[in-house]
Amino acid sequence: MNITLKVWRQRNPNDTGRLVTYEAKNVSTHMSFLEMLDVVNNDLVKKGEDPIAFDHDCREGICGSCGLMINGRAHGPGRGIATCQLHMRGFKDGEVIVVEPWRANAFPIIKDLVVDRTAFERIMQAGGYTSAKTGGVPDGNAVLVPKPVAEDAMDAASCIGCGACVAACPNSSAMLFVAAKVSQLALLPQGKAERTQRVLAMVDQMDKEGFGNCSNNYACEAECPKEIKVTHIARMNREYLRANLVEK
Amino acid sequence: MKLNAKIPAGPIEQKWTKQKFNYKLVNPSNRRKYNIIVVGSGLAGASAAASLGELGYNVHVFTYHESPRRAHSIAAQGGINAPKNYSNDGDSVYRLFYDTIKGGDYRSREGNVYRLAEVSGSIIDQCVAQGVPFARDYAGYLDNRSFGGAQLARTFYARGQTGQQLLLGAYSALSRQIKAGTVKLYARREMLDLVVIEGQARGIVARNLVNGRMESYAADAVVLATGGYSNAFYLSTNAKASNATAIWRAHKKGALFGNPCFTQIHPTCIPLTGSYQSKLTLMSESLRNDGRIWVPKKKGDTRKANDIPESERDYYLERMYPSFGNLVPRDVASRRAKEICDKGMGVGETKLAVYLDLADAIKRLGKNVIAERYGNLCDMYKLITAEDPYEVPMRIYPAVHYTMGGLWVDYDLMATVPGLFVIGEANFSDHGANRLGASALMQGLADGYFVLPYTMGNYLGGTKFKPVDTKHTAFQQSETKITEMIKKFLSIKGKRTVDEFHIALGKILWDYVGMARNKAGLKKALEMIPKLRGEFWRDVNVVGSGNELNAELEKAGRVADYFELSELMALDALHREESCGGHFREEYQTEEGEAKRNDKAFSYVAAWEYAGPNKKPILNKEPLKFEYVIPSQRSYK
Ligand SMILES: Cc1cc2nc3c(=O)[nH]c(=O)nc-3n(C[C@H](O)[C@H](O)[C@H](O)COP(=O)(O)OP(=O)(O)OC[C@H]3O[C@@H](n4cnc5c(N)ncnc54)[C@H](O)[C@@H]3O)c2cc1C
Ligand code: SF4
Ligand code: FES
């Protein structure tokens, strides 16, 4: 099939950027979306033109590198998948596809479709851990974690840090990302000791980075490739409330 | 060169304990005076950097990724081994040691492997304390499963995302140290050279991938945790950016390369569909517990799988290996699949695939049970192929997955360049000629959490350092050399893209240095690779400039290194006139078609020394001695 692409091109952070049209010919339905872009890029290089820059690595939905707005949707059509798991069979011959980077003040554009998500790093550094030093920890079975708790924690822990939640949110809120980590560590007994400082520090850093507020829009859950539930945001809100009380 | 593996004397159970006692220490208040560079932030790099930071050293971590959490380790699915014996099935440190030596087909060191087994239990404890949500039972105890044909249940797992959870654990420890100021992170930086001054590794030169600037960093020691080189083959299960540049350039600065031809081919991957394909996806081999592998008996059978009656199917693994059946080790399963496809019995559009059929298991256990066990794998398969594995058999084919070879290191994980340490998949150490399932995660974390922090102290505590900074001419020379190389790439302006060259190189490797190798083929590869390399340097087209984010330029440097490394892989495979583990030389097989080792002549580590451009590398040998696990022929009949 043949596809028309309108791709956001921006040479560097200071460039204004624009949508540029490309024709992708003879696209196989077996291709992944990123493989389709590979082919477009290969042709661009052959013509001596600058290929489209986009982040990607594992190409199996786990590293969180990829992330494109495809026809206005974070990670494109389909539920529970990252951009790299999107295949061309879902598109129609002759379709026009608009491809843009994540748009959020806290995620400045580096080039074309590549954005800077290091705001997430700083939030993690603020408190996304337990302070267990190497060595000197008890046996893995010393503290029991019942299966349902472990499963809930695992649901939250499966966040890949892609930023789709932020891109999908009309307020560019990072609540789902932060809540996933806060919730995982609040659920597990190993994380309980530091729950107060953790939630306060992480939320504080989130605000400093310029992410917006949550207005219960739930677009984050709808576009999250790992289908992380907004119930984790509710748990974080409780944690935050509790922490404020404990602190005072 | 005289290789000294520095394996401590004494009984195997006491080697590590005694050695730790003998190691020199660095006083806690002195540690911050030492600068350590860690390149790589996968399981090995992140765990090492966090632990060294906790000890109080000044650690500098480099990764070409945007964040440490994106490292390739994130993709590991199946699990991590530890002989905790929580399952009460008779596991022990000794048994894991034994299995790993045997699984590696007697091409690894007893001393190292015993230590690996010994520290692996602590890894689980550490990860649990970090908040890694391992699978648990209803009472809250850690759950274990059996994995990769192991006879007991010693594998810890977090759904099908074990690597992700372990890496996020190490990443969180790393983040904590970054906050504490003991670790500094340099993301989107690619190390392009190792700087050696007066025989010691004293720093690196890296390219800032965002603005293209060359940056020099000086230190007292350099740790490479840069992963494996499966991507030399172009198509592999590794992440797209995984590459060999760091270890290859260190090799050219004097670090010997151990067993480069030892690569692992994983039997159960989703087959290739077209020339545009960018990578191969692994399907966990746990599928072989319930899936039956078959091909049609009739050559060129074009019927749909479900239309082929039972009597016209060849369940070839069950036929050839009545006792192990579909559960034969990775290397055996892979080779048989290739053979059967080479005979023209393959299925699917490309005929390069065999069926893995869950139908009988569904009949026996019900769809629910199968969905519970393999639901996420079936979903993944469906997402990629648009076929429903509950209805039609999956098509699978082997793919390059892991490299046992890597930079040679001694017991202290130090390369032949003093002050250069190599950990994780980047070193050659613990898996011999074949890695067992769920043991790479174990090794990476063992190296990073529990081995390097001690051996590093010993090195720093016992070494005199002259003050060195980045004004030293060695840094300038490296920067100039790399800048010249980049200029050269940008000036060729040829007709073929970097990927086109990489695909062509990958095909040579797959055809002649892949699953089954022979003398004629290897010789052919050794002619074809330099020829293609010549064309690459004349006809590649790298667009854009050197002072911006430029993925083509990044790839060009990596592919240039693959060309050189590939030649060494072929040379190593040619020189090793035996079959062992993942290295299968067609000339050396038993009557049953199994790998036939030649312990008399080849019971050694081949450690290759760089001799200069276009010069034949020099072979050094580290003899392997087996005092505890006496080599025998593997048999899975
Ligand atoms: C699909 C798949 C599934 C697997 N499943 C399992 C499993 O179930 N159990 C198991 O035990 N093993 C498994 N493995 C193997 C295992 O995942 C790897 O061997 C292991 O994670 C390697 O870890 P590492 O830390 O050595 O390297 P990596 O995780 O590859 O990290 C390399 C790091 O080095 C950095 N780097 C590399 N070069 C440079 C450079 N020049 N400059 C700057 N930075 C650089 C990268 O940015 C990255 O941070 C699997 C592998 C694959 C491909
Ligand atoms: S919560 Fe979901 S969408 Fe947000 S970063 Fe994590 S995986 Fe991505
Ligand atoms: S490329 Fe890794 S999640 Fe898409």
Side-chain angles (χ1 to χ4, degrees), chain A residues 75 120 158-166 176-177 180 220 223-228:
Chain A
H75 292 307
F120 275 9
S158 58
C159 164
I160 58 175
C162 61
C165 43
V166 176
L176 195 61
F177 167 77
C220 52
E223 302 296 22
C224 171
K226 295 293 144 188
E227 303 186 296
I228 300 203

Coordinates of all heavy atoms in Angstrom, one line a residue, chain A residues 75 120 158-166 176-177 180 220 223-228, ligand 2:
Chain A
H75 N 1.4 7.1 20.8 CA 1.7 5.7 20.4 C 0.7 5.2 19.3 O 0.6 4.0 19.1 CB 1.7 4.7 21.6 CG 2.8 4.9 22.5 ND1 4.1 4.9 22.1 CD2 2.8 5.0 23.9 CE1 4.9 5.1 23.2 NE2 4.2 5.1 24.3
F120 N 11.9 13.2 33.9 CA 11.5 12.0 34.5 C 12.7 11.4 35.4 O 12.5 10.9 36.5 CB 11.2 10.9 33.5 CG 9.7 10.9 33.0 CD1 8.9 11.9 33.4 CD2 9.2 9.9 32.3 CE1 7.5 12.0 33.0 CE2 7.9 9.9 31.8 CZ 7.0 10.9 32.2
S158 N 5.3 -1.9 36.0 CA 5.6 -2.2 34.6 C 5.7 -1.0 33.8 O 5.9 -1.0 32.5 CB 4.6 -3.2 34.1 OG 3.3 -2.7 34.2
C159 N 5.6 0.2 34.4 CA 5.7 1.5 33.6 C 7.1 1.5 32.9 O 8.1 1.1 33.5 CB 5.7 2.6 34.6 SG 6.3 4.2 34.0
I160 N 7.0 1.9 31.6 CA 8.3 1.9 30.9 C 8.9 3.3 30.7 O 9.8 3.6 30.0 CB 8.1 1.3 29.4 CG1 7.0 2.0 28.6 CG2 7.8 -0.2 29.6 CD1 6.9 1.5 27.2
G161 N 8.3 4.3 31.4 CA 8.8 5.6 31.4 C 8.8 6.3 30.1 O 9.8 7.1 29.7
C162 N 7.8 6.0 29.2 CA 7.8 6.5 27.9 C 7.3 8.0 27.8 O 7.7 8.7 26.9 CB 7.0 5.7 27.0 SG 5.2 5.6 27.5
G163 N 6.5 8.4 28.7 CA 5.9 9.7 28.7 C 4.7 9.9 27.9 O 4.2 11.0 27.7
A164 N 4.1 8.8 27.4 CA 2.8 8.9 26.7 C 1.7 9.5 27.5 O 0.8 10.3 27.0 CB 2.4 7.6 26.2
C165 N 1.7 9.3 28.8 CA 0.7 9.8 29.7 C 0.8 11.3 29.7 O -0.3 12.0 29.6 CB 0.9 9.3 31.1 SG 2.6 9.2 31.7
V166 N 2.0 11.9 29.7 CA 2.2 13.3 29.6 C 1.7 13.8 28.3 O 1.0 14.8 28.2 CB 3.6 13.7 29.8 CG1 3.8 15.2 29.7 CG2 4.1 13.2 31.2
L176 N 0.5 10.0 36.2 CA 0.4 8.6 36.0 C 1.8 8.0 36.2 O 2.0 7.0 36.9 CB -0.2 8.1 34.7 CG -0.6 6.7 34.6 CD1 -1.6 6.3 35.7 CD2 -1.1 6.3 33.2
F177 N 2.8 8.6 35.6 CA 4.2 8.1 35.7 C 4.6 8.2 37.2 O 5.2 7.2 37.7 CB 5.1 9.0 34.9 CG 6.6 8.8 35.1 CD1 7.2 7.7 34.7 CD2 7.3 9.7 35.9 CE1 8.6 7.5 34.9 CE2 8.6 9.5 36.2 CZ 9.3 8.4 35.7
A180 N 2.8 5.7 39.4 CA 3.2 4.3 39.2 C 4.3 3.9 40.2 O 4.3 2.9 40.8 CB 3.6 4.0 37.8
C220 N -4.5 9.6 30.1 CA -3.2 8.9 30.4 C -3.4 7.4 30.4 O -2.7 6.7 29.7 CB -2.6 9.4 31.7 SG -3.7 9.3 33.1
E223 N -4.0 5.8 26.9 CA -2.9 5.7 26.0 C -1.6 5.0 26.5 O -0.7 4.8 25.8 CB -2.5 7.1 25.4 CG -3.6 7.9 24.8 CD -4.1 7.3 23.5 OE1 -3.9 6.1 23.3 OE2 -4.7 8.0 22.7
C224 N -1.7 4.7 27.8 CA -0.5 4.1 28.4 C -0.2 2.7 27.8 O -1.1 1.9 27.8 CB -0.7 3.9 29.9 SG 0.6 2.9 30.7
P225 N 0.9 2.5 27.2 CA 1.2 1.2 26.6 C 1.2 0.1 27.6 O 1.1 -1.1 27.2 CB 2.6 1.4 26.0 CG 3.2 2.5 26.8 CD 2.1 3.4 27.2
K226 N 1.3 0.3 28.8 CA 1.3 -0.8 29.8 C 0.0 -0.8 30.6 O -0.2 -1.5 31.6 CB 2.5 -0.6 30.8 CG 3.8 -0.8 30.1 CD 4.0 -2.2 29.6 CE 4.8 -2.2 28.3 NZ 4.9 -3.5 27.7
E227 N -1.0 0.0 30.1 CA -2.3 0.0 30.7 C -2.3 0.2 32.2 O -3.0 -0.5 33.0 CB -3.1 -1.2 30.3 CG -3.2 -1.3 28.8 CD -4.0 -2.5 28.3 OE1 -3.7 -3.6 28.5 OE2 -5.0 -2.2 27.6
I228 N -1.5 1.1 32.6 CA -1.4 1.4 34.1 C -2.7 2.2 34.5 O -3.1 3.1 33.8 CB -0.1 2.2 34.4 CG1 1.0 1.3 33.9 CG2 0.0 2.7 35.8 CD1 2.4 1.5 34.5
Ligands
SF4_2 S1 2.6 5.5 33.1 FE1 2.3 4.5 31.1 S2 2.3 6.2 29.6 FE2 3.2 7.0 31.5 S3 5.4 6.7 31.3 FE3 4.6 4.9 32.3 S4 4.2 3.4 30.7 FE4 4.4 5.5 29.7

